[in-house]
Amino acid sequence: MSLITMFRNIIFNFYDYNAKNIHANDIKFVVIHIPDQVGDAMAIYPLIRALEQQPITHLLIVSSTLNNPVFEALTLNNTTLTVVTMTMQDHATIAEIKKIAKTIIEQYGTPDLCIEAMRKKNLKTMVFIHTLRAEMNFQVVGLSMKCYSPLCKIASRMDQHLRAPVPMTWATLMRDAGFPAVAAKYEFPLSAEAITEVRRETCALGPYIAINLEGSIAARTFTYSVAQNLIAIIQRECDMPIVVVHGPKGIESAVKLTESCSRVFRLSLSPSLMRSAALINDAALAITPDTSILHMASAYNTPAIAIYADYKTRWPTMQDIAENIVVGKDIDHINMNEFEATLRRILMRINGQQRQ
């Protein structure tokens, strides 16, 4: 055991407490704690669907200001849904974390179960668990503590040792805990408003390719010149129009591309996560270096080319038709010949599926 692990265990013991072992049939009120990234939120849908099918009485999701749109259009059958929002955990203060847990208790009572979906062994997570003091807690990071259920062992091994796809890990956890078996997949429910306003702008294009050029960090973001090269290759290989999917920081680059390249478009609407998801939902093909956009494509079974700076087995493509390019360094170092061959291959697969 490393010194870091020993020190962490000493600190965490202060926040530990004796939890109960409650049967799935007796669980009525559940909290899912996920004030994290967009992809992490999309990955917890196996938890949500298993709880819905049980069914439980009340589900409360603690989201972040960043991933809250993933739950905006979510509706559940026979289960009351509450979504509360806080600062993303990386930036949240201890005071805010304690306050959100205390507010849950004051307004709704003590949860029968808290599912710690952050998948992080950190102090902020333990502060939330200790303050909320649910009757029972689930986690998949392999912590051996009294507050966590022993039912988490297999799922923890999947996440920590096998590095299994995250939706699969959550689906396995719920099955092992006695909840209904559900599909291991990403979800991002769309609002009727977002679908309508996006289709109003794209309906005249016919089938289109959605290309996203920006990742969460600079190493996963294509520069303008590389983006131009990628678009040129796409236009040599097919005649489908291209729609640039972007966030607020990508507006300038997207506008320049629409002005300098023929048959390249962007929404005139202000960027939003829900609108990006609606674009991906309707696309014939999605191309992206960003895993959040990739998970949207997986959720809607949209064919995709995933361009990874570094491949992570926990976050794979999960749709029927997908191709992966692993650059192994900053995304701008992508091999254009490899991209061209990959694009040609996936277009053949898409065309083959359409003929069947």
Side-chain angles (χ1 to χ4, degrees):
M1 183 181 297
S2 69
L3 289 175
I4 293 176
T5 301
M6 291 175 62
F7 180 73
R8 184 185 64 221
N9 290 346
I10 292 170
I11 298 297
F12 281 12
N13 282 339
F14 175 79
Y15 294 95
D16 202 3
Y17 66 93
N18 289 311
K20 300 178 181 178
N21 189 16
I22 306 174
H23 191 276
N25 292 339
D26 298 321
I27 294 174
K28 305 302 178 185
F29 175 31
V30 178
V31 170
I32 300 178
H33 183 237
I34 186 65
D36 207 356
Q37 301 279 357
V38 173
D40 298 272
M42 294 176 64
I44 69 162
Y45 267 85
L47 300 176
I48 295 170
R49 298 309 178 192
L51 294 168
E52 179 185 29
Q53 289 185 30
Q54 181 64 11
I56 62 168
T57 304
H58 185 194
L59 171 61
L60 187 148
I61 300 173
V62 181
S63 68
S64 69
T65 52
L66 180 63
N67 68 28
N68 178 262
V70 175
F71 309 112
E72 280 182 4
L74 171 62
T75 58
L76 300 178
N77 297 318
N78 304 315
T79 296
T80 299
L81 174 66
T82 303
V83 180
V84 299
T85 304
M86 60 175 286
T87 306
M88 189 171 159
Q89 190 192 74
D90 289 351
H91 309 295
T93 64
I94 296 295
E96 181 184 5
I97 293 168
K98 288 182 176 180
K99 182 178 179 181
I100 199 87
K102 290 177 180 178
T103 300
I104 291 171
I105 297 169
E106 291 168 1
Q107 294 186 1
Y108 306 104
T110 300
D112 299 310
L113 171 65
C114 175
I115 303 176
E116 180 42 70
M118 293 294 294
R119 298 175 39 258
K120 294 179 180 178
K121 302 175 184 178
N122 61 20
L123 178 62
K124 290 181 178 179
T125 295
M126 288 312 307
V127 167
F128 180 82
I129 291 293
H130 176 78
T131 307
L132 188 66
R133 295 185 77 87
E135 299 288 356
M136 182 168 68
N137 299 282
F138 288 168
Q139 50 87 27
V140 293
V141 293
L143 291 173
S144 299
M145 298 175 64
K146 293 177 290 185
C147 64
Y148 287 122
S149 169
L151 297 171
C152 307
K153 288 182 179 178
I154 293 176
S156 289
R157 182 172 179 270
M158 288 177 64
D159 187 75
Q160 296 294 295
H161 299 287
L162 302 179
R163 297 182 177 273
V166 176
M168 187 182 297
T169 296
W170 290 130
T172 301
L173 170 66
M174 298 307 281
R175 182 204 64 199
D176 290 351
F179 291 90
V182 295
K185 64 180 184 178
Y186 299 100
E187 290 189 46
F188 188 152
L190 294 170
S191 67
E193 179 184 7
I195 293 171
T196 300
E197 62 187 8
V198 167
R199 287 179 179 172
R200 189 179 296 125
E201 295 205 10
T202 60
C203 63
L205 299 178
Y208 62 85
I209 292 176
I211 186 167
N212 161 246
L213 302 165
E214 57 188 281
S216 56
I217 59 174
R220 298 180 200 148
T221 299
F222 290 114
T223 58
Y224 179 73
S225 60
V226 173
Q228 283 185 307
N229 291 337
L230 294 173
I231 288 171
I233 291 171
I234 295 169
Q235 292 181 329
R236 284 202 304 268
E237 292 299 322
C238 72
D239 58 3
M240 279 189 284
I242 298 169
V243 178
V244 181
V245 181
H246 62 87
K249 69 179 183 181
I251 292 176
E252 182 179 352
S253 177
V255 169
K256 287 175 62 179
L257 288 169
T258 61
E259 292 173 346
S260 63
C261 304
S262 64
R263 304 267 296 163
V264 175
F265 305 90
R266 59 177 288 271
L267 292 180
S268 65
L269 304 162
S270 59
S272 76
L273 206 58
M274 185 73 74
R275 287 167 178 161
S276 292
L279 276 173
I280 296 299
N281 178 56
D282 285 348
L285 170 64
I287 300 172
T288 179
D290 182 72
T291 51
S292 295
I293 299 296
L294 176 62
H295 301 333
M296 293 175 191
S298 293
Y300 310 130
N301 202 29
T302 299
I305 296 177
I307 305 171
Y308 295 93
D310 291 297
Y311 185 71
K312 296 179 179 178
T313 57
R314 290 191 180 103
W315 306 110
T317 51
M318 296 184 73
Q319 54 272 80
D320 292 340
I321 298 178
E323 296 282 347
N324 300 319
I325 297 174
V326 181
V327 180
K329 57 183 82 171
D330 285 4
I331 212 77
D332 255 5
H333 290 86
I334 184 171
N335 184 298
M336 293 298 171
N337 291 330
E338 181 182 8
F339 176 74
E340 183 174 3
T342 302
L343 176 64
R344 191 175 297 138
R345 188 164 57 245
I346 199 167
L347 288 172
M348 289 178 63
R349 293 176 64 188
I350 293 169
N351 291 334
Q353 184 187 60
Q354 291 172 345
R355 287 194 296 268
Q356 291 179 358

